[in-house]
Amino acid sequence: MTVLARKICLLGDFAVGKTSTVARFVNQTFSEAYQTTVGVKVDSKAVSLDEERTVRMVVWDIAGSSNIDQTRANYVKGAHGLMLVADGTRQDTFTSALDLWLQACDTCGGELPAVLMVNKADLADRWEVSVEMAEQIGRLVPLFKVSARTGASVEDAFSALAGMVS
């Protein structure tokens, strides 16, 4: 059995649900209490790809922002992949997530594998993102409609990224 450790950075605007999706992925929990991340919080979880390969995802939950400053650049360096998070109820967070992806790739000196989680699938009736926009973004980076609250597709998104970085 081969176990690969991979550094995964979570990037997205403030209050899109980065910490909540990590809590759902790692601990299968959700809290209604809003928790602002200060700096970075690191968690890990093993994802079994098949009988031969497992990826230990070391997830760096980086404080929300629409740009990568020097501190965030230091956190992103050495990343094997990116989990981008947007809030389906706030269209501007999509642009931020894609901008952060480009900034992170620039910081790391090349394109990084990435997956976009569109959080709050349980509130799809309130989404500001059109189907057309989601489809366009989905051509650039794999897109998953997730809910940190219910757990819908969170595991699928992380598993997809694990496969990309293995």
Side-chain angles (χ1 to χ4, degrees):
M1 168 74 73
T2 302
V3 178
L4 300 170
R6 294 291 184 251
K7 179 180 180 180
I8 305 300
C9 290
L10 247 77
L11 298 173
D13 252 338
F14 289 101
V16 294
K18 293 179 302 299
T19 300
S20 294
T21 56
V22 172
R24 175 60 70 183
F25 172 63
V26 174
N27 302 312
Q28 291 72 49
T29 60
F30 177 80
S31 171
E32 291 288 342
Y34 178 68
Q35 308 156 9
T36 300
T37 302
V38 177
V40 66
K41 181 178 182 291
V42 180
D43 281 299
S44 72
K45 180 177 176 179
V47 175
S48 181
L49 297 176
D50 54 42
E51 291 149 14
E52 300 296 317
R53 299 175 305 143
T54 296
V55 175
R56 170 148 307 279
M57 299 183 78
V58 181
V59 182
W60 290 52
D61 177 6
I62 300 172
S65 178
S66 58
N67 64 41
I68 295 180
D69 58 16
Q70 188 55 51
T71 301
R72 286 178 182 83
N74 290 334
Y75 294 145
V76 169
K77 287 179 183 168
H80 295 99
L82 303 172
M83 184 60 73
L84 309 169
V85 185
D87 176 344
T89 67
R90 295 169 32 217
Q91 185 167 336
D92 59 313
T93 66
F94 278 79
T95 305
S96 290
L98 294 176
D99 286 346
L100 287 163
W101 178 35
L102 296 175
Q103 291 174 52
C105 290
D106 188 50
T107 297
C108 293
E111 189 169 318
L112 289 170
V115 167
L116 174 62
M117 287 193 294
V118 185
N119 193 25
K120 303 186 182 176
D122 54 306
L123 303 175
D125 59 326
R126 297 188 210 160
W127 277 24
E128 293 181 351
V129 178
S130 67
V131 171
E132 295 79 21
M133 183 179 189
E135 287 175 355
Q136 282 182 332
I137 293 168
R139 288 188 204 104
L140 298 172
V141 60
L143 184 146
F144 290 83
K145 297 173 185 174
V146 307
S147 171
R149 174 179 285 137
T150 68
S153 297
V154 171
E155 197 80 31
D156 295 339
F158 277 97
S159 292
L161 187 56
M164 294 166 73
V165 299
S166 65

